[in-house]
Amino acid sequence: TQSVAPPSPVDLVGLAMLDQIGLQRAALAELGSIPIEQSAPQDRLFAVWLFYRAGDLYRATKLSRSLVTIDSVAHEPALVLAGYPRGYQELVEREAERSAVPTALIYAIIREESGFRARAVSPRVARGLMQMIPRTARRMARSAGLSGFSLAQLYTPEVSIRLGAHYLRLLLERFDGDLVAAIASCHAGERTVGRWKRRGASLAADDFIEEIPYVSTRGYVKKVLASYGVYRSLLDPRSPRLEIELENIIPLPPEPRSG
């Protein structure tokens, strides 16, 4: 097969200009024909930012994961904002308050579970933004007093976030506020984690994580905790505001002189 050449700076300047005049969707469509994964980190950073501005939070977060270890762009404000988006902000904040669950924790779960795809489905048939399996979803719907619940409603952000936040509240109560145990339960199940906790009751949190026997759950806990830490920082009113200028990502050509 013939290899496709990486995009040239001219290609990306054209997309940046479309974005600048408000045609994000057109720029996004053009970006789809470019092998951006093969391009330079700065070009991929622009793609992350464009996906974010166009509302494609899934591709913004997915592409950002390949950039966080690259020194030249890892600390760019655009990567932080687009890589850790706050989609469905009104719903998340409302359900966080209703369930007394940290807003940052809900965002972290959504980021790692579904990448902000409302219609995501896992191999275990977990559905929606917060990836709840049918049995747990039905139990949470009864517990939250959600009448007339059907599994199809898990694809609705309002229902998924409400039930997911309610579930996190119950997990935190069950494990006496133990954040690690609550997060692990989202992946391995609360009964399984309960057994682990009884066996490792004297372990500190970091030691408990390393003793989790399921490799996938151990990795999941670490990813969610890392996202939780970033979101806590972004949501902290004392944190400096991140100002993003498109020209700092992709330099645009100067305006033509009149006359």
Side-chain angles (χ1 to χ4, degrees):
T1 58
Q2 186 177 3
S3 61
V4 180
S8 68
V10 174
D11 296 327
L12 295 175
V13 167
L15 298 184
M17 294 183 73
L18 286 174
D19 177 89
Q20 189 179 54
I21 62 176
L23 299 178
Q24 285 90 13
R25 291 292 180 180
L28 199 63
E30 291 292 328
L31 185 60
S33 64
I34 293 175
I36 196 66
E37 292 83 1
Q38 303 173 23
S39 58
Q42 197 72 26
D43 296 339
R44 280 182 278 161
L45 174 65
F46 168 69
V48 167
W49 186 234
L50 182 58
F51 286 138
Y52 173 77
R53 285 166 59 84
D56 192 336
L57 303 185
Y58 172 68
R59 282 195 280 182
T61 56
K62 183 179 179 181
L63 185 56
S64 72
R65 293 173 195 269
S66 67
L67 294 174
V68 294
T69 59
I70 300 175
D71 291 341
S72 61
V73 294
H75 302 292
E76 288 280 357
L79 183 60
V80 177
L81 282 184
Y84 294 86
R86 282 167 273 178
Y88 312 100
Q89 184 174 357
E90 183 178 344
L91 293 176
V92 170
E93 291 178 353
R94 185 184 72 195
E95 297 306 326
E97 183 176 2
R98 187 206 300 259
S99 299
V101 170
T103 303
L105 179 58
I106 297 176
Y107 278 132
I109 294 289
I110 293 175
R111 182 181 190 269
E112 299 306 327
E113 286 282 7
S114 67
F116 292 88
R117 288 179 300 165
R119 300 194 65 81
V121 182
S122 80
R124 295 179 59 206
V125 203
R127 296 170 168 89
L129 288 170
M130 299 194 74
Q131 289 289 278
M132 301 194 74
I133 61 173
R135 181 176 58 192
T136 301
R138 292 190 181 100
R139 180 161 59 95
M140 290 304 105
R142 291 192 298 269
S143 176
L146 190 63
S147 60
F149 171 74
S150 69
L151 292 178
Q153 290 178 287
L154 289 176
Y155 298 122
T156 305
E158 183 173 9
V159 173
S160 180
I161 295 171
R162 179 177 179 182
L163 296 186
H166 184 69
Y167 186 43
L168 287 171
R169 174 73 266 152
L170 296 184
L171 290 173
L172 287 167
E173 289 176 354
R174 173 169 182 164
F175 293 107
D176 298 321
D178 187 329
L179 184 63
V180 171
I183 293 171
S185 296
C186 292
H187 191 270
E190 58 212 80
R191 292 184 180 178
T192 299
V193 175
R195 291 196 300 270
W196 296 344
K197 286 293 293 180
R198 288 191 294 272
R199 188 170 64 238
S202 62
L203 293 175
D206 52 350
D207 291 327
F208 175 77
I209 293 172
E210 295 305 323
E211 290 296 322
I212 291 176
Y214 298 170
V215 174
S216 58
T217 301
R218 196 184 318 139
Y220 173 82
V221 170
K222 291 179 179 180
K223 288 178 182 178
V224 173
L225 285 174
S227 288
Y228 176 59
V230 174
Y231 277 117
R232 283 188 64 184
S233 177
L234 291 174
L235 294 169
D236 189 335
R238 297 168 299 179
S239 295
R241 184 176 176 182
L242 298 177
E243 301 290 350
I244 309 298
E245 295 292 339
L246 182 64
E247 290 79 2
N248 293 335
I249 304 175
I250 296 291
L252 296 177
E255 293 286 340
R257 295 181 179 179
S258 59

